[in-house]
Amino acid sequence: MQNTNVRLDELNASTAAQLDTRVGLGMHPDSLLPHGQTLVDGISGPGETAYASARSAMAAMYSGLSDIEKANTAMLQPVQVGKETKMLVPDNRKAELGAAMEQKFSSVAKTIDRNMAVIDESVAALSQRIQIATSDPNKDRVSNAQIAGEVRQYLREMKNSSERMAFLTKAAEEGDLPVLAAVTSASCYTAGLNRSEHELVKEMSARRFAPRESAQLSAAAKVKDALMAASANFV
């Protein structure tokens, strides 16, 4: 029997938008479906909040543009232009349409801003959880601080970058939190790493010690990017 995600189904239904061929699919909330299972996994939290907020904003945008298109279509009348008859909004109704469009754009823009702020808060919350999970809980002890310094010195003295990264990859595989925390909690240069290598170590540590939050942070960033791209086209 196939497992169903009832919470995800409910959330998708509550933030649905009727399809309109005149509005681009990139603005439809269902464009975020690939990230739903990751962000809405049955345990409420910032991941679910980010997904719900992104879908709410996308639904508002998509439905808003659909309403504008419907209003424009409803006002079209046959207008003689030279020898041709075209379906246009007559001059005496353009101001009315313009006012309706401005009101709709303003309303949707506020919805986007509000939900974008919530997504930013969710991303920050996930980042904080990862930070806690990948930090040495005993880092303030003198003995732990000393060991962390020795780890970084040991890495600096290795022959090359490949040797350092192999050592740190093994530490991640073995779940050696103190070793990885010694590196991620300090400047990259103190361990003989460059910035790119340091970021890779942080990612390895996050995947090892906060796998759920790490996956959700990546997915939340993607839904935020999708919302920003859609809102750029909206305005």
Side-chain angles (χ1 to χ4, degrees), residues 69-225:
E69 290 290 347
K70 290 175 183 176
N72 182 75
T73 300
M75 291 187 181
L76 293 178
Q77 293 181 9
V79 177
Q80 195 68 29
V81 182
K83 296 181 179 181
E84 299 181 35
T85 300
K86 297 183 178 182
M87 296 298 293
L88 300 171
V89 176
D91 291 341
N92 64 346
R93 301 206 66 186
K94 286 182 178 179
E96 178 186 353
L97 178 61
M101 290 175 63
E102 183 177 354
Q103 183 178 9
K104 177 63 69 173
F105 276 117
S106 177
S107 174
V108 173
K110 291 178 181 177
T111 299
I112 295 171
D113 290 343
R114 183 172 62 252
N115 283 285
M116 188 68 79
V118 174
I119 294 172
D120 286 338
E121 291 174 359
S122 297
V123 168
L126 287 167
S127 298
Q128 184 178 32
R129 291 185 181 189
I130 292 172
Q131 176 66 31
I132 293 171
T134 57
S135 297
D136 181 357
N138 300 311
K139 62 181 182 298
D140 293 330
R141 291 182 181 176
V142 174
S143 58
N144 288 63
Q146 182 178 349
I147 291 172
E150 291 173 354
V151 167
R152 292 190 289 269
Q153 181 179 351
Y154 177 71
L155 286 163
R156 282 198 311 274
E157 293 175 352
M158 286 184 174
K159 295 179 182 179
N160 52 51
S161 175
S162 296
E163 189 174 345
R164 294 185 191 95
M165 293 306 294
F167 176 83
L168 291 167
T169 298
K170 184 178 180 181
E173 292 171 351
E174 295 177 350
D176 195 334
L177 176 58
V179 165
L180 292 173
V183 175
T184 60
S185 64
S187 167
C188 59
Y189 303 113
T190 62
L193 304 174
N194 60 38
R195 288 190 178 90
S196 296
E197 291 165 343
H198 200 236
E199 287 302 314
L200 285 175
V201 176
K202 287 182 178 179
E203 291 172 9
M204 286 193 297
S205 184
R207 288 195 298 269
R208 179 64 177 83
F209 300 108
R212 176 175 178 261
E213 289 77 8
S214 177
Q216 288 194 337
L217 181 61
S218 176
K222 290 175 182 176
V223 299
K224 179 182 177 180
D225 287 345

Side-chain angles (χ1 to χ4, degrees), residues 14-15 17 27-29 32 49-65 107-119 223-224 226-228 230-231 234:
S14 68
T15 53
M27 290 187 177
H28 197 277
L32 303 178
T49 301
Y51 183 74
S53 297
R55 278 192 63 96
S56 295
M58 296 281 267
M61 269 192 292
Y62 192 89
S63 298
L65 284 178
S107 174
V108 173
K110 291 178 181 177
T111 299
I112 295 171
D113 290 343
R114 183 172 62 252
N115 283 285
M116 188 68 79
V118 174
I119 294 172
V223 299
K224 179 182 177 180
L227 176 56
M228 291 179 67
S231 62
F234 177 77

